[in-house]
């Protein structure tokens, strides 16, 4: 695609050329001389001419001789005009003009250059576009300044489009200046050596640069030797340039560093190479691509004393002729010294070896490029093969895995032969009479862009197919099948149908380059083909190879692997952690806050703090608590570590290696609202900071980078030289500012949190006062904890269509990703806009249900639209993610599928913007956005909307109202609570807990366990005993209940829940002897209880079951697990009057119960209860988490467990409250460090452990004996009270109980 949408580009370029035409550096002459106007007629050639007066010699700008310019005989894309500048010249601009006094002019054209008149190279701009805009009339001159000057002798212009009302007509001018250089040729045996003289001191900067051209894809350009056996070499390998840094002769992995750059460098065109290193950094440049190389420390000290050019010969290793360079070199510069010029001057420091000439001797190699589906080359067959054998040869290079190389008819066999690529292998297939007579397969990986030679030979009874014979990869395959070719051979493809040619191609067409075509050992003259003197062709570029490496440099980011075909590239992002056409956007979130607001529980998550930026994702633990979301970054030593005096050691130092890299640590700390890290020191005769006036005994290093020395301690302020007790005036010795500085012989401690982000994290610690007799100390540096993502909640509210925020220009030339959240009630408005001279990028709410992403990089506007099924102006948060790269543009809204549009092939790729970035509006102040925008990020960088909004009229910082979007995350009757930045879930009304009230509260019950929750006390009854009952308890009368719980047990029958009232009314949930659920309501004290029996059975199977019971007046519904809801009706009263208490487990006050229920209640419950909820009361949660503040009475053993979980426990999903309660507490004077200090005396600890284990084992054995005696007695007692009429009603046994105990409480063991 050419610059049709930049038709005025020529005028702009002409103005730019006049303004900036002073090409050159350091005051050199302006390089803008006219180069064509003074050339003789003999310097011009063309493909054809309409007449002698239309010849190429008349093609000079502003000249009117002849017919006023050049016009070819026919106007098609096979025409060209060539100018010979006489010598290699630097060309900086090109100008075109139509033929004088005519309707003939070009509208688009290609430029190619050459040093020899062969092997042309197409000029391409930085965007990869090779098409130039032409003229709009015959008189105006359109000049185009080349983005990169070209050095060449020959220039050829190829017309692509012209005035449809005329024909091709052209006058030409080029601008530039003479070019001088020093050149030498090496034939594989020659080389140059330069011995560096003694230098007074080591240079701080070393520079080597050169240009080269070659047809060989391997060879050594340069080898440098330094001190300490340091070696550097530049080696061409398979068309790539390898920079090899090595210490010593051997190439062990520990002493060698290799990087590669460039591709297809064996194209016989000049390539520029530059090495520039400063200390441990080296800039490696090939042509226009620069790679920054970080040199390992062992290879960073250089002092070059010898350079060899064209070979790797050194004092430690002899030269290898197979690795020598074969080609031309130009301007080999070492720190400004031109080594070729020194060689010409026969400088004593330069030695030439072998065959070296000071000119560029270039072999002529004519290639042909097959570009597309209509490309083919037809050559006449050889009627009589001189050697008595059919012999066809060629070389090809391509990126495609498939394509036809050659086909021809077999007249004797009435068949056809196809030589083609399939899955990057070469295949020969012969068809006769509609069937495959023969098929051969040779080679592999032939789509690597390298030149591969192919030879097909048939001699008598042998057919041999060979690939890359000279490279030792010969694969001959023979068969007894003589054949001769037809009258024509077709290369690359076939003519269009209807052309009358007998050519069939059932395979893909070939896209790539061919050269060295031969028949009967005779080369094919492709120049005769170009002149239509031999064979026929269509859509070919002859005398040039137009292959492009689209993976060099690679557009795949973040380590994505690039692969390519002839016309496109593909990025494999599978192992990168990123997604998109170029692996640009991260698949991970930027903080734990984002994961939490997607409903994720606590656990380990990959965090990518800068999104699409360069920082890699890291695995971090996210602790989602009800109040805050903590990011926890561990290091290599978070335990309390003991230090004791040891001979010869004056100090103890520790370095802390974190699980996250430094750059990610710094980014996490920077974007968090609060960070903290515990720092504690326990001491006995071990001073900490001494006095504020004296030097500290101990210190730590913290902060970004290498960190800085810090002399304050946990809980104090930076630079205060104090501990927490000094800040509170509570130190053991008032003369000191730390407890440990009192230097007591009893244990003391100084502990606290470091909360100043600029000093975090703690990177190392030095403890000094540990050498005195009796000194003993211990320290602990806890994990780094951070909460509050400042970027995620950074928001602004736009209350007018004319209001906006502006920021500096957005730079997203090749890749741009934009993400933000918005909420609004407006139906349209622009979220963001940034303009250039012609380019732009914009995202807008186009309608109430449609978001539009549009931009222009010079190929015309491209739009990507996503339409939602429901309105987006519902005042709820919606997420927008837009991305634009060189391959495609995509837009995604919320969780809807992304919409993608491909970028034009071979179009402009750079987004060039120059104005301010407008947020919430436009430069014209029209179509502004009304509503909230939050967490706006461009290429991983968050824009601080709040700070900019504080100083901008019409825009307010922050944006409340998050529960409208996130309330659904609060589960199990949890209530969403608004916060200034975000929300939280209030789990008070819920039977669950956790960040989203999603974590069940479970407990294992034994037969003696009882929880009694008391409702409102009968206050009125105690004050006035004469009051009527109806007036006393009317405020606690229930006309309905909502009851839910989960259980797991093998006990049957079993009482699950019991609610009683002051009027002897009750509600009971139980499992009957048939393993089914019963609900018993007694709502009138003078009537019998009503029994509601569920049909769902097998409930005592040790599996988790969930029961939900809802009553409204006389209607009761029961649902068990996912079974259908069962409905019942009560026939007695519908009011549950004056409820008194709710009991889980054993009921101690069972005297008012029915006899059978009383017997069951006295036995208690053995198993697991979870998520118990009665109307607004959660008795189990109150007993386990709030026993001190709730009206609960607990008797018997009760332990919280995860027995109510229906899935296996995930150790990373367990939620922990961020506090120091699980850490070592402060130890007072005289107290030993028990179970806190990681002692160095392992033997003592082992002995203590054995003693404790023996004691516990003895106690357990006694407890088991007593427990069995007790169970035997209890079972006998139960049997005594059973009615004789129904002996199986209470089938309890000690065996069932013991099974439940062992299964429901895994923390208890019997020995």
């Amino acid at each position: 695609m050419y610059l049709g949408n930049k038709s005025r580009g020529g005028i702009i370029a002409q103005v730019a050329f006049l303004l900036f035409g002073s090409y050159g550096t350091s005051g050199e002459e302006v390089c803008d001389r006219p180069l064509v106007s003074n050339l003789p007629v003999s310097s011009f050639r063309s493909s054809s001419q309409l007449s002698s007066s239309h010849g190429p010699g008349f093609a000079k700008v502003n000249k009117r001789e002849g017919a006023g310019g050049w016009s070819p005989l026919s106007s098609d894309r096979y025409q060209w005009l060539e100018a010979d500048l006489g010598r290699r010249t630097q060309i900086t601009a090109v100008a075109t003009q139509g033929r004088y006094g005519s309707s003939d002019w070009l509208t688009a054209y290609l430029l190619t250059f050459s040093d020899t008149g062969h092997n042309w190279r197409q000029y391409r701009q930085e965007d990869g576009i090779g098409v130039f805009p032409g003229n709009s009339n015959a008189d105006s001159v359109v000049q185009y300044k080349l983005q990169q000057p070209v050095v060449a002798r020959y220039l050829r212009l190829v017309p692509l489009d012209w005035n449809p009302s005329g024909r091709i007509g052209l006058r030409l001018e080029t601008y530039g200046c003479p070019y001088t250089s020093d050149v030498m040729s090496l034939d594989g045996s020659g080389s140059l050596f330069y011995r560096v003289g003694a230098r007074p001191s080591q240079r701080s900067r070393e520079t080597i640069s050169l240009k080269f051209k070659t047809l060989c894809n391997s060879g050594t350009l340069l080898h440098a030797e330094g001190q300490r056996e340091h070696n550097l070499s530049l080696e061409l390998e398979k068309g790539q340039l390898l920079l090899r840094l090595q210490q010593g002769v051997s190439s062990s992995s520990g002493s060698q560093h290799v990087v590669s750059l460039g591709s297809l460098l064996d194209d016989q065109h000049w390539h520029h190479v530059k090495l520039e290193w400063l200390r441990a950094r080296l800039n490696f440049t090939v042509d226009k691509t620069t790679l920054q190389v970080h040199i390992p420390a062992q290879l960073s000290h250089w002092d070059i004393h010898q350079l060899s050019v064209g070979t790797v010969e050194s004092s430690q290793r002899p030269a290898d002729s197979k690795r020598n360079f074969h080609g031309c070199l130009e301007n080999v510069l070492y720190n400004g010294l031109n080594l070729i010029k020194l060689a010409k001057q026969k400088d004593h420091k330069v030695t030439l070896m072998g065959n070296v000439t000071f000119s560029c001797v270039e072999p002529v190699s004519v290639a042909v490029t097959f570009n597309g589906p209509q490309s083919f080359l037809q050559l006449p067959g050889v009627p009589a093969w001189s050697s008595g054998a059919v012999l066809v040869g060629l070389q090809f290079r391509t990126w495609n895995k498939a394509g036809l190389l050659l086909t021809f008819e077999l007249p004797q066999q009435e068949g056809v032969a196809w030589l083609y690529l399939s899955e990057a292998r070469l295949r020969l297939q012969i068809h006769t009479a509609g069937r495959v007579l023969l098929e051969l397969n040779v080679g592999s990986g032939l789509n690597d862009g390298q030149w591969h030679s192919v030879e097909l030979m048939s001699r008598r009874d042998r057919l041999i197919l060979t690939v890359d014979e000279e490279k030792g990869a010969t694969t001959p395959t023979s068969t007894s099948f003589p054949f001769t070719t037809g009258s024509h051979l077709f290369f690359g493809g076939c003519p269009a149908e209807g052309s009358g040619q007998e050519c069939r191609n059932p395979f893909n067409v070939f896209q790539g380059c061919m050269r060295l075509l031969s028949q009967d050992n005779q080369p094919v003259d492709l120049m005769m083909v170009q002149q239509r003197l031999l064979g026929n062709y269509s859509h070919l570029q002859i005398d040039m190879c137009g292959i492009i490496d689209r993976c060099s440099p690679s557009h795949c980011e973040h380590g994505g692997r690039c692969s390519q075909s002839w016309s496109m590239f593909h990025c494999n992002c599978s192992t990168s952690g990123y997604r998109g056409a170029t692996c640009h956007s991260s698949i991970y979130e930027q903080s734990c806050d984002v994961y939490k607001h997607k409903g994720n529980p606590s656990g380990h998550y990959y965090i990518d703090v800068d999104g699409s930026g360069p920082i890699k994702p890291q695995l971090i633990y996210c602790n989602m608590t009800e109040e805050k979301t903590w990011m926890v970054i561990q290091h290599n030593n978070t335990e309390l570590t003991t230090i004791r005096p040891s001979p010869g050691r004056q100090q103890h130092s520790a370095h802390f290696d974190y699980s996250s890299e430094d750059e990610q640590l710094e980014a996490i700390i920077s974007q968090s609202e609060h960070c903290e890290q515990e720092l504690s020191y326990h001491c006995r005769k071990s001073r900490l900071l001494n006095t504020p006036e004296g030097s500290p005994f101990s210190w730590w290093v913290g902060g970004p980078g290498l960190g800085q020395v810090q002399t304050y301690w946990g809980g104090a302020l930076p630079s205060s030289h104090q501990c927490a007790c000094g800040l509170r005036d509570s130190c053991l010795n008032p003369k000191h500012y730390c407890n440990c500085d009192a230097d007591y012989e009893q244990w003391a401690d100084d502990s606290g949190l470091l909360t100043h982000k600029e000093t975090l994290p703690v990177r190392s610690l030095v403890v000094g006062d540990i050498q005195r007799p009796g000194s003993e100390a211990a320290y602990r540096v806890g994990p780094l904890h951070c909460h509050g993502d400042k970027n995620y909640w950074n928001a602004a509210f736009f209350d007018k269509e004319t209001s906006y925020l502006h920021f500096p220009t957005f730079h997203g030339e090749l890749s741009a990703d934009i993400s933000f959240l918005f909420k609004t009630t407006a139906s349209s408005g622009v979220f963001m806009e940034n303009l250039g001279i012609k380019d732009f990028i914009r995202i807008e709410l186009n309608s109430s249900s449609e978001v539009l992403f549009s931009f222009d990089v010079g190929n015309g506007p491209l739009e990507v639209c996503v339409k939602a099924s429901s309105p987006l102006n519902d005042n709820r948060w919606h997420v927008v993610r837009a991305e634009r790269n060189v391959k495609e543009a995509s837009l995604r809204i919320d969780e809807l599928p992304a919409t993608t549009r491909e970028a034009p092939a071979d179009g402009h790729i750079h987004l060039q913007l120059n104005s301010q970035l407008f947020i919430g509006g436009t430069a014209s102040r029209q179509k502004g956005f009304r509503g909230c925008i939050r967490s706006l990020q461009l290429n991983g960088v968050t824009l601080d909307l709040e700070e900019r909004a504080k100083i901008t009229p019409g825009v307010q910082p922050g944006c409340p109202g998050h529960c409208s979007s996130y309330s659904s995350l609060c589960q199990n009757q949890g209530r969403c609570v608004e916060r200034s930045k975000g929300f939280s879930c209030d789990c008070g009304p819920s039977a669950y807990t956790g960040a989203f009230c999603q974590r069940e509260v479970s407990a294992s019950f034994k037969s003696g366990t009882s929880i009694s929750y008391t409702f409102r006390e009968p206050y009125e009854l105690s004050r006035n005993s004469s009051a009527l009952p109806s007036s006393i308890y009317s405020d606690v009368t229930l006309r309905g209940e909502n009851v839910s719980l989960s259980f797991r047990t093998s006990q049957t029958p079993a009482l699950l829940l019991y609610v009683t009232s002051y009027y002897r009314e009750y509600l009971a949930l139980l499992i009957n002897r048939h393993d089914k659920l019963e609900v018993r309501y007694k709502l009138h004290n003078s009537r019998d209880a009503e029994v509601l029996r569920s049909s769902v059975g097998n409930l005592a199977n040790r599996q988790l079951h969930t029961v939900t019971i809802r009553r409204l007046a006389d209607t009761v519904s029961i649902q068990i697990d996912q079974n259908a809801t069962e409905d019942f009706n009560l026939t007695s009263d519908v009011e549950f009057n004056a409820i008194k208490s709710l009991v889980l487990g054993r009921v101690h006050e069972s005297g008012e119960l029915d006899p059978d229920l009383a017997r069951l209640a006295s036995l208690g419950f053995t198993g697991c209860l979870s998520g118990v909820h009665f109307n607004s009361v959660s008795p189990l949660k109150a007993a386990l988490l709030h026993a001190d503040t709730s009206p609960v009475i607990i008797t018997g053993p009760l332990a919280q467990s995860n027995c109510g979980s229906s899935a296996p426990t995930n150790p990373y999903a367990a939620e922990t409250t961020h506090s120091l309660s699980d850490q070592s507490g402060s130890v007072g004077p005289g107290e030993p460090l028990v179970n806190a200090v990681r002692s160095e005396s392992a033997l003592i600890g082992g002995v203590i452990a054995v003693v404790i284990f023996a004691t516990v084992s003895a106690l357990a054995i006694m407890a088991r004996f007593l427990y069995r005696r007790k169970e035997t007695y209890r079972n006998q007692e139960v049997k005594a009270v059973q009615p004789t009429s129904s002996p199986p009603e209470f089938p309890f046994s000690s065996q069932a109980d013991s099974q439940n105990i062992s299964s429901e409480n895994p923390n208890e063991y019997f020995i």
Side-chain angles (χ1 to χ4, degrees), residues 721-902:
H721 307 286
Q722 294 184 8
C723 299
C725 68
L727 198 64
R728 299 191 299 263
D729 293 328
S730 60
C731 295
L732 296 176
N733 188 336
K735 296 181 179 180
H736 296 278
Y737 297 104
C738 294
N739 289 323
C740 290
D741 289 343
D743 203 20
Y744 290 163
E745 293 188 358
Q746 294 83 14
W747 280 102
D749 79 285
D750 288 294
S751 303
L753 294 176
L754 304 171
T755 59
H756 295 271
K757 296 198 299 180
E758 63 274 11
T759 65
L760 296 177
V762 179
R763 299 185 178 274
S764 59
L765 175 70
V766 176
V767 178
D769 190 17
I770 57 172
Q771 74 282 1
R772 295 181 298 159
S775 293
E776 211 173 346
Y779 66 86
R780 181 179 189 268
V781 177
L784 177 67
H785 295 80
C786 294
H787 76 78
D789 184 353
K790 294 191 296 184
N791 296 337
Y792 189 61
W793 298 108
N794 192 297
F797 173 66
F798 302 82
D799 58 2
K800 300 178 182 178
E801 288 188 1
T802 57
S803 58
Y804 61 85
L805 298 176
H806 58 83
F807 291 87
T809 305
F810 173 45
H811 295 286
E813 286 77 8
L814 295 177
S815 295
D817 74 279
I818 303 164
S819 64
F820 59 90
L821 294 93
F822 78 91
K823 68 173 184 174
T824 184
T825 57
S827 59
S828 64
V830 175
F831 296 120
M832 63 153 289
E833 179 185 83
N834 207 163
L835 306 177
I837 296 177
K838 292 184 177 180
D839 298 356
F840 73 89
I841 188 168
R842 181 186 301 115
I843 303 178
E844 59 186 302
L845 183 66
N846 203 36
S847 69
S848 61
S849 59
E850 184 178 85
V851 176
L852 182 66
F853 174 36
S854 58
F855 61 90
D856 187 356
V857 295
N859 306 312
L862 189 146
E863 295 183 346
V864 186
C865 179
V866 171
K867 190 165 186 177
S869 57
S870 56
L872 299 174
N873 59 342
D874 55 359
N875 204 29
R876 303 181 66 180
W877 287 114
H878 298 280
V879 183
V880 177
R881 299 181 184 89
E883 181 182 347
R884 176 261 156 192
N885 52 59
V886 298
K887 288 204 67 175
E888 65 182 26
S890 64
L891 177 66
R892 186 175 184 183
I893 308 299
D894 296 331
E895 300 303 320
L896 296 173
T899 301
T900 303
R901 290 282 304 275
E902 291 188 2

Side-chain angles (χ1 to χ4, degrees), residues 10 73 137 241 258 266 538 657 692 746 751 760 789 845 908 942 981 1014 1030 1136 1153 1215 1227:
L73 182 61
N137 55 57
L241 200 57
V258 181
D266 56 342
S538 175
D657 295 320
Q746 294 83 14
S751 303
L760 296 177
D789 184 353
L845 183 66
H908 290 279
T942 302
K981 292 188 176 181
T1014 304
S1030 59
F1136 196 177
L1153 290 176
E1215 189 171 49
V1227 181

